[in-house]
Amino acid sequence: MASPGEHVVAVRRLAAAGDVEGLACRLADAVQSPPMLDHSSTRKMLACVAELTTPQRLELVERLSDRHDATPPSADDARYALLLLAIMAARGLDADPLPEERAARLAEFTGVSTVWHDHKRPDLLAEAEIAAGRTVPADAVAVMRRTAACTYPPDGLPALLRRLPDPPVNAGEEWSDDALATAALLGDPWPRLLRLAAAATAARPSPRWEKDARALIDRLGADAVQEKAVRWLGLAGRPRPVPFAPQEYGPDPNTLLDPFNANALRGLAWLLALLPPDPAITRALGALVDMSLRKVPGHGPRNPKLANAGVLALARCEGGSALGEIARLASRVTFRGTLKQLDLALEARAAALGLSREEVEELAVPAYGLTEVGLLRHEHGELAVRAGKTVLSWRNAAGKEVRGIPAAVRRDHPEEVAELKAAAKDIDRMLTAQAERLDRQFLARRQWAYEAWRERCLDHPLVGTLARRLLWTVDGRSCGYAEGQLRTLAGAPVPAGSTVELWHPVDREPAEVVAWRDWLERHAITQPFKQAHREVYLLTDAERGTRTYSNRFAAHILRQHQFQSLAAVRGWTSKLRLAVDDCYPPAVRELPQWGLRAEFWIEGAGEDDLTESGSFRHLTTDQVRFHPLDEPVNQAYAGGGGYHHPSGGAPADGLPLDQVPALVLSEVLRDVDLFVGVASVGNDPAWQDGGPQGRYRDYWQSFGFGDLTQTAQGRRDLLSRLVPRLAIADRCSVEGRFLHVRGDLHTYRIHLGSGNILISPHDRYLCIVPKSGPGTGYDGYLPFEGDRTLSLILSKALMLSRDREITDRTILSQL
């Protein structure tokens, strides 16, 4: 086989001799291998072709076309290469080589995401169609646009696409199909608006872009632009009506956004920021950020650039609802780039108002129309917040409460119904964010002036539904909210004070903690997160012995991606471990209010068990240490080998644990216990065989049925109180590490740490994989929200106590 250089020499000789037939043969041989089509040698050969006379070039095009037709269909790559050769040889000539074949090849791009192979060059096919005066099919345009957004697009593709302004967005996504249908129905200037939106390729709008956008808004009307843009953003991210063909490598393209259309969505977000403030705009932009940051396997966040555009638009929107949405997102977003944009937006607003960041976050929480704490009365019913969830109730014409929306209300007041449903969703999202924000206030050392606290927390229409289920200290006096006011344990009203803080059990006597737990149960209060039942992690003798580090949570095997998500939600910074020759810092939580930094040492586990992207599926855990905030961060190689100082040598020792404030130690270790309890492979029923090569079988057994962690011990204490009140109390008992449940067929032991089940008397393992999603756990009273394992243990106990009624075949086969 001749080398590329030999082909070039031969083509030059044949072109100089005017041997068209020989030239056609040599060119066909040179490009039979697809990579040769875009090779530098091919460009040199085509330069020789360009020097031929016009008649010679026309003859060459004809010879190449004949060779194409003579090549059997089974040699598809060869036929494709000859088609493209004929097209390139015909550039600038009055020739139209193989038009039917071109049309057939262009039709093959339907259902294709991007093109990575040189012999699938839609740009060359499109160029020939344009030269022949024909329209390039929309699917081929879309493929070229998506390919142009890749890291290494073919040369000349961006310039070609500038000659193809239509369609204004790519078809194939639910929102873009709707937008194209709207533009076709309503006509100009809607197509121009979509083209302007698709031109939003920078990080922020230019003055020229904004000028053009305002002109279009003036012509179309702000209400019409808002209606359509909000609708289209709401449809973004839905499954593609016609899925792409699967790809051999990389993430599933059906889970990603079309990159060209993502620019258009960015432009629509910018357009909304130019409109008068409206809750619907705020809602749409917040949902856009959430959708754009949703994780895609093998890819990461779906489209961070689009999320940043949503944040920028929110930051430019006037009104309190936009600020509230920024605050909500700041408490929920974990992707660093977008979180940085949110922080900048909040800090800019705080500086403009002359307030602290914390105060702005509190003031930003909207009331969503609630006229009382947790209540919005409307003409046909009410919206109430009960136990941390919104409940919509309705009344018929006779004033009687009914379950569903009365037909007359649905018919005569559709806008009101839609707005109430939207408000209920907004409130649920905000409640979750605010609960997490309040939970972070322990380590933030947050103190409130009494009057500001009443206004922003206790009596706030939305936050009050959380604050009134928590415990507080007013000038050091512990209190909770019951019977319409703040009260002490003894029930005495608590007068106004000067300083308010969240109550924490770490510095309380055990008798007081137990008394407050009784108080909560007596008043049937479900706390939005663990507070009275919060785990307290005191210094152990072993930790006094190790002095500067805790080994309490060492030697566990965690699912890396689940750990990374949990760590980000809890305010930790941790890099995804890849199986590369590189060093990584530990998982870190900075505590600026205390001048400290917590380190949780983790390393990649199992270089034979990686994801497609090369990241470790699992991590091993090691020490927890505390360091001054300005001290260098230790690091370790991705796959293990221990930690060391960034300059080399032994790692920095850090602070003696007995010098770490008790609240800081307890809260940090509680986070780590959460990571281990949730992300450990030991609580996964599917890991009974020990995972790859069974190497973690002993670990799975010891975690799934071994000693209880602090969290699990707290679960045991609570179950000891709850079980006697259950309808199945005569069939249950808490003993040691297990909840014992007597069924009709067997007696079962449910481990209080993992939720794993053993069948007595021979300790046969019973595998029950819980369903995901809401409504799958225990729905009775619990004194706090958020412990899914506790809920699953109780739901398993209820099911196993009636084991004769089980119908699930997978479970029955094990009984």
Side-chain angles (χ1 to χ4, degrees):
M1 179 180 292
S3 69
E6 290 171 332
H7 281 305
V8 172
V9 172
V11 166
R12 283 175 178 165
R13 177 176 51 79
L14 292 167
D19 185 352
V20 176
E21 175 61 29
L23 195 58
C25 291
R26 175 60 77 166
L27 286 170
D29 290 342
V31 298
Q32 289 303 301
S33 178
M36 284 293 293
L37 190 64
D38 200 36
H39 197 277
S40 61
S41 61
T42 305
R43 290 192 288 272
K44 293 176 182 178
M45 288 187 283
L46 289 171
C48 297
V49 170
E51 295 176 359
L52 296 174
T53 66
T54 298
Q56 288 174 326
R57 290 179 62 195
L58 287 170
E59 182 183 353
L60 177 63
V61 171
E62 186 176 349
R63 297 291 179 92
L64 290 171
S65 300
D66 291 342
R67 281 182 168 273
H68 169 275
D69 293 340
T71 304
S74 58
D76 187 69
D77 284 351
R79 287 174 62 87
Y80 217 134
L82 286 165
L83 167 65
L84 297 179
L85 256 181
I87 290 172
M88 290 187 286
R91 281 173 173 164
L93 297 177
D94 186 14
D96 189 14
L98 302 167
E100 293 181 0
E101 181 72 8
R102 286 206 312 268
R105 293 297 186 176
L106 283 168
E108 293 176 358
F109 291 109
T110 300
V112 175
S113 174
T114 54
V115 177
W116 291 97
H117 304 293
D118 292 329
H119 67 298
K120 298 285 188 182
R121 290 285 297 272
D123 54 320
L124 297 179
L125 300 171
E127 183 183 286
E129 290 293 285
I130 295 171
R134 283 188 284 271
T135 302
V136 180
D139 285 339
V141 174
V143 169
M144 289 188 286
R145 286 170 171 173
R146 289 189 288 269
T147 302
C150 298
T151 306
Y152 302 108
D155 293 340
L157 184 55
L160 173 65
L161 288 173
R162 286 193 288 271
R163 299 162 60 190
L164 299 170
D166 285 316
V169 293
N170 292 339
E173 293 181 323
E174 193 168 335
W175 85 266
S176 63
D177 289 348
D178 189 276
L180 289 170
T182 298
L185 178 65
L186 301 180
D188 195 63
W190 286 103
R192 273 199 288 150
L193 182 136
L194 290 175
R195 274 192 286 271
L196 179 70
T201 57
R204 56 185 60 245
S206 67
R208 174 62 185 272
W209 189 97
E210 192 166 323
K211 179 182 177 181
D212 292 345
R214 291 186 185 278
L216 284 171
I217 291 170
D218 290 342
R219 181 169 174 184
L220 290 165
D223 290 344
V225 173
Q226 176 180 322
E227 177 194 352
K228 297 295 189 297
V230 165
R231 171 177 170 76
W232 295 334
L233 291 187
L235 295 174
R238 293 192 181 185
R240 294 181 63 86
V242 180
F244 286 130
Q247 292 185 170
E248 185 177 358
Y249 302 106
D252 181 357
N254 295 292
T255 62
L256 303 175
L257 298 177
D258 183 309
F260 184 84
N261 286 355
N263 287 334
L265 290 170
R266 183 191 324 206
L268 292 174
W270 292 352
L271 280 168
L272 288 176
L274 303 177
L275 302 178
D278 189 287
I281 291 176
T282 297
R283 191 177 302 127
L285 292 173
L288 179 70
V289 175
D290 289 331
M291 181 276 295
S292 302
L293 294 180
R294 204 160 293 140
K295 296 287 184 65
V296 171
H299 178 78
R302 183 179 276 172
N303 197 306
K305 291 182 179 179
L306 183 55
N308 292 347
V311 173
L312 175 65
L314 282 168
R316 300 187 69 185
C317 287
E318 301 291 338
S321 64
L323 181 57
E325 191 65 14
I326 292 172
R328 180 192 73 82
L329 290 168
S331 67
R332 298 286 293 164
V333 166
T334 59
F335 183 72
R336 291 183 197 172
T338 305
L339 184 58
K340 181 179 179 180
Q341 299 302 317
L342 290 163
D343 288 340
L344 290 173
L346 282 174
E347 289 165 6
R349 195 67 63 95
L353 296 174
L355 300 171
S356 69
R357 158 76 181 268
E358 291 78 12
E359 289 176 305
V360 167
E361 285 187 288
E362 291 166 1
L363 292 170
V365 183
Y368 295 107
L370 300 172
T371 54
E372 305 173 38
V373 174
L375 186 62
L376 186 163
R377 291 188 175 89
H378 54 92
E379 184 180 354
H380 307 288
E382 67 178 30
L383 184 157
V385 180
R386 297 172 186 163
K389 295 292 181 183
T390 54
V391 178
L392 275 171
S393 59
W394 304 91
R395 290 190 299 272
N396 59 21
K400 182 180 179 181
E401 186 170 318
V402 292
R403 283 190 177 183
I405 306 172
V409 175
R410 190 189 300 273
R411 181 188 66 245
D412 300 335
H413 306 278
E415 293 183 0
E416 180 183 347
V417 171
E419 189 58 37
L420 283 169
K421 286 184 174 181
K425 290 182 180 179
D426 289 346
I427 289 171
D428 281 337
R429 292 193 308 163
M430 184 60 80
L431 282 171
T432 301
Q434 292 304 310
E436 292 175 355
R437 181 181 66 83
L438 288 170
D439 195 9
R440 290 197 296 268
Q441 302 311 305
F442 294 116
L443 281 176
R445 307 182 82 173
R446 183 78 169 102
Q447 291 185 333
W448 291 265
Y450 182 83
E451 292 301 328
W453 170 77
R454 292 280 320 204
E455 177 186 355
R456 301 173 191 171
C457 297
L458 197 69
D459 297 332
H460 187 279
L462 182 69
V463 182
T465 64
L466 303 170
R468 292 184 178 190
R469 294 188 286 138
L470 294 170
L471 303 178
W472 303 87
T473 63
V474 178
D475 293 342
R477 194 176 188 185
S478 303
C479 58
Y481 190 88
E483 299 172 3
Q485 58 183 316
L486 291 170
R487 296 182 181 276
T488 63
L489 264 174
V494 176
S498 58
T499 304
V500 181
E501 293 181 273
L502 272 168
W503 181 95
H504 194 286
V506 73
D507 54 357
R508 304 289 167 175
E509 291 295 328
E512 180 188 350
V513 174
V514 172
W516 275 118
R517 292 176 180 178
D518 291 338
W519 186 89
L520 291 170
E521 293 177 27
R522 192 163 62 249
H523 290 90
I525 294 173
T526 297
Q527 296 199 290
F529 50 82
K530 286 185 183 180
Q531 187 187 23
H533 291 80
R534 203 174 189 86
E535 302 84 5
V536 173
Y537 299 78
L538 303 176
L539 205 59
T540 64
D541 290 339
E543 288 161 345
R544 290 188 180 91
T546 56
R547 193 169 169 272
T548 60
Y549 61 89
S550 170
N551 266 333
R552 199 183 304 199
F553 300 103
H556 286 279
I557 310 298
L558 310 185
R559 294 177 288 269
Q560 173 167 211
H561 289 80
Q562 188 173 19
F563 163 76
Q564 299 289 0
S565 296
L566 282 170
V569 168
R570 294 299 300 171
W572 290 70
T573 300
S574 179
K575 289 186 176 182
L576 189 72
R577 262 62 177 175
L578 301 173
V580 294
D581 184 15
D582 198 3
C583 288
Y584 289 86
V588 167
R589 181 162 186 181
E590 294 188 347
L591 305 164
Q593 294 85 353
W594 306 85
L596 295 175
R597 181 187 71 249
E599 292 184 0
F600 179 32
W601 289 8
I602 52 175
E603 297 177 2
E607 293 197 1
D608 57 347
D609 186 23
L610 308 176
T611 67
E612 288 185 2
S613 61
S615 62
F616 289 97
R617 292 187 188 277
H618 301 100
L619 301 172
T620 59
T621 67
D622 201 339
Q623 304 173 9
V624 176
R625 295 191 178 210
F626 294 85
H627 297 263
L629 196 57
D630 56 355
E631 190 173 273
V633 180
N634 294 308
Q635 58 185 22
Y637 289 106
Y643 274 78
H644 56 271
H645 194 275
S647 62
D653 279 339
L655 292 175
L657 296 181
D658 58 9
Q659 294 181 21
V660 177
L663 187 146
V664 173
L665 178 72
S666 183
E667 286 297 298
V668 167
L669 292 181
R670 182 176 184 270
D671 276 354
V672 177
D673 195 351
L674 170 72
F675 303 153
V676 171
V678 174
S680 171
V681 300
N683 62 18
D684 186 346
W687 269 65
Q688 182 187 5
D689 62 358
Q693 291 83 51
R695 67 168 71 100
Y696 302 127
R697 187 178 291 111
D698 291 342
Y699 169 74
W700 185 89
Q701 187 71 26
S702 65
F703 182 94
F705 301 103
D707 293 339
L708 300 182
T709 64
Q710 196 78 15
T711 299
Q713 291 175 30
R715 199 175 288 141
R716 178 185 59 196
D717 296 342
L718 177 59
L719 283 169
S720 297
R721 299 165 61 91
L722 289 178
V723 165
R725 306 174 196 175
L726 299 177
I728 59 170
D730 60 329
R731 288 175 172 263
C732 298
S733 62
V734 178
E735 300 176 24
R737 305 189 300 271
F738 296 90
L739 172 62
H740 293 245
V741 181
R742 178 172 55 83
D744 294 325
L745 301 176
H746 302 283
T747 297
Y748 309 89
R749 295 194 298 156
I750 307 175
H751 190 261
L752 301 178
S754 65
N756 290 338
I757 306 168
L758 297 174
I759 303 176
S760 297
H762 303 297
D763 284 350
R764 279 193 297 119
Y765 175 64
L766 174 58
C767 179
I768 298 179
V769 180
K771 296 179 180 178
S772 59
T776 58
Y778 175 71
D779 57 3
Y781 169 76
L782 292 175
F784 51 81
E785 300 171 8
D787 190 340
R788 184 170 183 267
T789 301
L790 172 62
S791 181
L792 287 174
I793 288 172
L794 286 167
S795 66
K796 288 178 179 179
L798 291 171
M799 178 182 65
L800 294 173
S801 68
R802 301 189 295 269
D803 52 6
R804 287 192 183 276
E805 301 175 20
I806 295 174
T807 58
D808 186 290
R809 293 182 180 181
T810 303
I811 299 175
L812 286 174
S813 66
Q814 302 176 73
L815 297 181

